[in-house]
Amino acid sequence: MFGNLFEEDEDEETNMTQWGKASLLGPAPVASKERGKCGFVGLRNQGATCYMNSLIQTHYAIPEFRAKILALDTNMLIKGDDGKKRRLPLALQRLFCEMKALNLDSISTEDFTSEAFGWSSGEVSRQQDVHELNRYLLEWMEAQLRNTSSRDMVRNLFKGTEETLMEVDGKTVSRRTQDFLDIALPVEGQRDLVEGLFKVFEPTLLDESNQYRYQGKMVDAVRRTLSLSLSFFLQSLKTHIKISKHKSRYSYCISASCNDIFAPSIQV
């Protein structure tokens, strides 16, 4: 679905002209309006790519990530020391350049989806999961930059470690750690980012029919889990069908103190 991101081109010069090739969907409409008062350039929907456009705009709005992408060595992306072309970061760098420099109200993403993912008209007409795409995007970016001077870019900007603890009688009896690139924050019933973080880090009491097995018997326990992505869709755990979309206001802050978020506790 996402094509071969590490494909080596037989004719590099010919391949570079793909930036200007017509899309399989036909020529994109030409934007006639200038950049709006908000100062940002919009991304036109190709059919069902609104989820991808929102993700790209989100990453572009992160100053540190935008600066790192724009600062990547373009010649290295076109053909590195290993002879490979870094399709995804190269296509994203070009798109970010257009979003930063062009005085237009919106631009096309057709070259980006074709170059970065190898998408045809079929893929751009099919709705995908934005959380899944974000994980693919960051993982592929990290993989393609692995043998370059920017190999730690994604890790330094996004990666953290999540920990799941199991406590019995106030004592930690199990601890599991793993890396994460994002955190899934609940939206329903939460006013803003901080309330979402409180909800994520809220301890869970395992009791009655949901007890924890410890030393061969079922006991009450407390589970503390860190996890991550903005869950705007409410999904039924029985049918696995997304049944509603939340459209209420959800506020974001530039920075937040986590001192109180980790304070809540449950005594068993």
Side-chain angles (χ1 to χ4, degrees):
M1 164 177 147
F2 291 103
N4 185 354
L5 298 178
F6 287 101
E7 180 183 351
E8 295 185 31
D9 301 305
E10 295 180 3
D11 187 346
E12 191 70 37
E13 240 177 71
T14 301
N15 188 266
M16 285 303 293
T17 64
Q18 287 183 352
W19 289 118
K21 284 186 177 179
S23 164
L24 293 174
L25 298 179
V30 178
S32 57
K33 297 180 181 179
E34 295 183 350
R35 186 185 294 245
K37 293 182 179 180
C38 66
F40 293 98
V41 173
L43 300 175
R44 290 195 292 272
N45 188 9
Q46 294 187 52
T49 58
C50 51
Y51 69 99
M52 182 198 71
N53 292 353
S54 66
L55 178 61
I56 292 174
Q57 292 282 17
T58 298
H59 282 303
Y60 181 81
I62 301 174
E64 295 84 357
F65 183 71
R66 181 176 68 245
K68 292 289 187 182
I69 291 295
L70 294 175
L72 289 172
D73 183 346
T74 305
N75 291 326
M76 175 272 293
L77 298 179
I78 294 175
K79 189 171 185 180
D81 294 337
D82 54 6
K84 294 180 179 178
K85 181 177 180 180
R86 271 74 185 176
R87 294 180 174 277
L88 178 57
L90 179 62
L92 189 60
Q93 183 185 70
R94 182 182 188 275
L95 185 61
F96 275 14
C97 284
E98 293 179 344
M99 294 170 68
K100 182 179 177 65
L102 296 182
N103 186 26
L104 298 173
D105 69 334
S106 64
I107 59 176
S108 172
T109 58
E110 293 178 16
D111 286 337
F112 173 78
T113 54
S114 176
E115 178 72 10
F117 302 143
W119 282 359
S120 63
S121 58
E123 282 84 10
V124 299
S125 300
R126 187 165 58 245
Q127 184 77 27
Q128 308 288 347
D129 182 78
V130 68
H131 184 208
E132 183 180 11
L133 178 60
N134 183 54
R135 290 196 170 181
Y136 278 132
L137 188 75
L138 295 179
E139 288 174 1
W140 291 340
M141 185 77 67
E142 186 174 41
Q144 292 194 19
L145 296 175
R146 184 168 296 145
N147 296 321
T148 73
S149 59
S150 301
R151 57 186 172 275
D152 296 325
M153 184 188 78
V154 172
R155 178 177 297 272
N156 291 340
L157 288 173
F158 295 104
K159 274 199 175 178
T161 301
E162 73 173 22
E163 222 173 21
T164 300
L165 309 179
M166 299 298 299
E167 298 177 356
V168 176
D169 295 329
K171 177 184 177 182
T172 299
V173 298
S174 174
R175 182 187 301 265
R176 180 174 61 90
T177 61
Q178 63 182 18
D179 289 340
F180 66 81
L181 292 176
D182 58 18
I183 298 179
L185 300 182
V187 172
E188 184 184 21
Q190 317 306 315
R191 291 180 303 176
D192 53 31
L193 184 67
V194 174
E195 281 197 4
L197 286 171
F198 267 99
K199 191 66 177 179
V200 166
F201 300 133
E202 190 176 69
T204 302
L205 177 62
L206 305 181
D207 59 358
E208 298 181 352
S209 61
N210 192 34
Q211 286 186 310
Y212 175 68
R213 180 175 293 278
Y214 176 63
Q215 294 183 341
K217 60 181 180 180
M218 305 304 293
V219 298
D220 290 350
V222 174
R223 178 175 60 205
R224 305 179 190 278
T225 304
L226 311 184
S227 56
L228 279 203
S229 120
L230 280 174
S231 305
F232 282 102
F233 286 92
L234 179 63
Q235 181 168 329
S236 168
L237 297 179
K238 292 183 178 180
T239 62
H240 301 288
I241 296 176
K242 294 176 181 176
I243 56 178
S244 65
K245 180 179 180 180
H246 303 292
K247 299 180 180 179
S248 57
R249 181 180 177 83
Y250 194 85
S251 301
Y252 298 82
C253 49
I254 300 300
S255 62
S257 172
C258 293
N259 292 337
D260 296 329
I261 293 175
F262 295 97
S265 61
I266 292 180
Q267 298 298 327
V268 178

